[in-house]
Amino acid sequence: MLPFLTNQLYPKPFQSKFYDVKEFWGNINSNLQQVSKLQKAMAKLNDMSDIHITEQLKMSFVYHSNALEGSNLSLEDTIAFLQEDIIDERNSAEDYLDALGQAAAMGFIESSLRCGESIDRTLVCEVNDLLTCLLYTSPSPRDRQKSR
């Protein structure tokens, strides 16, 4: 009885359809190539979803941050402006400049962190400049105090 069960659980090698060793290895290589292609496709999808998530986060952050400051842009207006350069003339230029500065600041932070820079006083000041440079053409009070 034991040999019968053993043969049922563990069949002898090459009793499957892969009797020919060359065919067996050819099928393995073919399957490995398919797995490799699928892994590459999945990596691309992961990259795309990361980009999509990052863009959604950026649009949502820009919208909500500017809404806290009193911007009249809707989330749809913000997305249309930042992705498609579409402007609704019913909204003020200042609202669009706020959104542009906020998006530029977020892009700057993202690229700085990707390059391995640390978040320090200099980086924060550069981000602040990006947030305000589009709105104010005159020197900031901080700069006016230095010139006195």
Side-chain angles (χ1 to χ4, degrees):
M1 175 88 170
L2 190 58
F4 173 75
L5 286 175
T6 304
N7 287 337
Q8 291 294 322
L9 294 174
Y10 306 105
K12 293 179 182 173
F14 303 113
Q15 285 187 336
S16 67
K17 69 177 188 175
F18 299 111
Y19 185 76
D20 182 13
V21 173
K22 287 183 182 179
E23 182 184 346
F24 175 77
W25 287 111
N27 285 331
I28 286 179
N29 286 332
S30 173
N31 288 339
L32 288 174
Q33 288 173 353
Q34 287 179 328
V35 167
S36 178
K37 287 179 185 177
L38 289 172
Q39 285 175 330
K40 288 177 184 175
M42 287 175 60
K44 285 182 184 177
L45 286 175
N46 286 339
D47 289 345
M48 288 172 42
S49 71
D50 286 348
I51 291 169
H52 183 69
I53 290 169
T54 303
E55 280 301 306
Q56 280 185 327
L57 176 64
K58 183 188 287 185
M59 297 301 147
S60 182
F61 184 85
V62 168
Y63 164 72
H64 288 290
S65 175
N66 288 331
L68 287 171
E69 298 291 330
S71 173
N72 292 317
L73 294 181
S74 67
L75 179 59
E76 292 78 19
D77 290 335
T78 303
I79 293 170
F81 172 63
L82 294 175
Q83 290 184 341
E84 307 289 331
D85 293 331
I86 296 173
I87 294 175
D88 183 343
E89 293 178 1
R90 294 174 288 186
N91 295 312
S92 72
E94 184 177 329
D95 286 345
Y96 286 110
L97 290 174
D98 280 340
L100 187 61
Q102 188 76 39
M106 288 198 64
F108 178 74
I109 292 168
E110 180 183 357
S111 65
S112 296
L113 293 176
R114 285 184 191 270
C115 292
E117 293 183 34
S118 61
I119 298 177
D120 57 10
R121 182 183 172 98
T122 304
L123 181 70
V124 171
C125 288
E126 289 174 354
V127 169
N128 186 59
D129 288 345
L130 283 171
L131 291 171
T132 59
C133 74
L134 297 174
L135 291 177
Y136 307 107
T137 55
S138 63
S140 71
R142 176 186 65 202
D143 293 334
R144 281 188 230 129
Q145 288 175 355
K146 288 180 184 176
S147 64
R148 288 183 184 175

